Amino acid sequence: MTPAKTQPERMFGVVVVGVGRAGSVRIRDLQSPQLPPSPLKLIGFVSRRELGNINEAKQISLQDALSSAEVDVAYICSENVSHEEYIRLFLNAGKHVLVEYPMALSLASAQELWKIAEEKGKILHEEHIELLTEDYAFLKNEVAGKQLLEGSVYFTGGPLEEERFGFLAFSSIARLSRLVSLFGELAFISATMEEQKENQYLKMTANLETVDKRPLTWIEERGPGLKREWHINFLFDSDRLESIPPPTQGHKNIFLRDQEIFVKKLLGQMSTEDLAKEKKHILHCLGIADEIQKHCQHLKKEGSSAGAEGTV
Ligand code: NAD
């Protein structure tokens, strides 16, 4: 085995695009010394607001970020509706991309972005911190070796505006990603969406099925005052799982762990099989989100035309 090197052989200049909650954590992580030393070096950040400097990181224009030879990597941490455009711009400028989930708001767009990344020979990494948490590790362990008979996941949280974050099945793809990681590929069966625009309230119910034709229901309820919580109910052949112990360490360093996975990809340390598996997982989840959205849009259209007929 080669001994751990103290200094990375090559450094990758990084620019962070979008300085909200996720972007700020990324900047903090990039500015914190790592052991072993990270091959990533923060060059600056891009924001629509005038933010000046954040510690030593300077604000740079999008054009400079795209054209600078110092920038090898872009972290896309802006709102979901802008992800696709930024990914396209940075990949075409010859940069590697790390994007906070979801990478795009349709399956077709994600497939296209992946094609560009492959043609350009660049890494396209979609962050999936939901698979790096303590509660997910608990679930993975609980589920191992058991046969699921039926299950549901019910998530509540504050409003997520569609204009900024996209259709709910995309903006909340973390739940779907966990279900797929726990129970394998899922088939879309049906979905409904309850919406009260004036109250910023949304409730999506998606009926899914495992390859063994076991029903899995995903409910996502969003509105002002709704606490960020998720409830599970998994009935197995052996027992039932209805609660997850609270994490002992909070969600510590999950963005940093995601970054470590990205670095492995940059350094060519992830196997082709693992890369292909991850890509398949991401596209599968985005494909289901796409089906949920199309189904709900279809129901909405049918509902409004039935309503229109009713008034004739
Ligand atoms: P946020 O609202 O806190 O931040 C979004 C930021 O992006 C804001 O500062 C906004 O000004 C900026 N922004 C929006 N459009 C932009 C544009 N066109 N160009 C540049 N900047 C722009 O949201 P957030 O929670 O940080 O989420 C950002 C992304 O991270 C989303 O894709 C979300 O799905 C993902 N994500 C967030 C978390 C989390 O814990 N916050 C977890 C996982 C994934």
Side-chain angles (χ1 to χ4, degrees), residues 16-26 46-49 51 62 76-83 85-86 99-103 127-130 160-161 164-165 170-174 228 254-255:
V16 173
V17 180
V19 190
R21 280 164 299 174
S24 304
V25 173
R26 294 296 188 177
V46 173
S47 176
R48 289 174 306 176
R49 294 168 290 160
L51 295 175
L62 176 63
I76 311 299
C77 310
S78 55
E79 291 153 356
N80 299 346
V81 290
S82 60
H83 287 186
E85 189 189 343
Y86 280 130
V99 58
E100 310 296 353
Y101 68 69
M103 68 167 62
E127 159 265 310
H128 278 288
I129 53 169
E130 77 284 356
L160 258 185
E161 308 116 84
R164 294 169 66 213
F165 291 99
F170 284 95
S171 51
S172 302
I173 201 128
R228 200 176 163 83
I254 43 179
F255 282 95

Side-chain angles (χ1 to χ4, degrees), residues 169-230:
F170 284 95
S171 51
S172 302
I173 201 128
R175 254 68 68 201
L176 193 51
S177 166
R178 281 184 166 191
L179 286 177
V180 170
S181 290
L182 291 171
F183 301 113
E185 293 207 344
L186 301 170
F188 167 77
I189 305 297
S190 65
T192 56
M193 179 70 87
E194 221 184 299
E195 191 176 357
Q196 295 165 19
K197 256 201 152 61
E198 64 288 5
N199 298 326
Q200 293 180 284
Y201 175 84
L202 283 174
K203 184 174 180 185
M204 181 188 82
T205 304
N207 299 304
L208 310 166
E209 207 174 71
T210 65
V211 281
D212 299 330
K213 307 247 171 269
R214 298 299 181 178
L216 257 181
T217 311
W218 169 27
I219 302 171
E220 192 84 19
E221 190 179 18
R222 297 283 189 159
L226 286 177
K227 248 178 100 180
R228 200 176 163 83
E229 270 176 0
W230 78 309

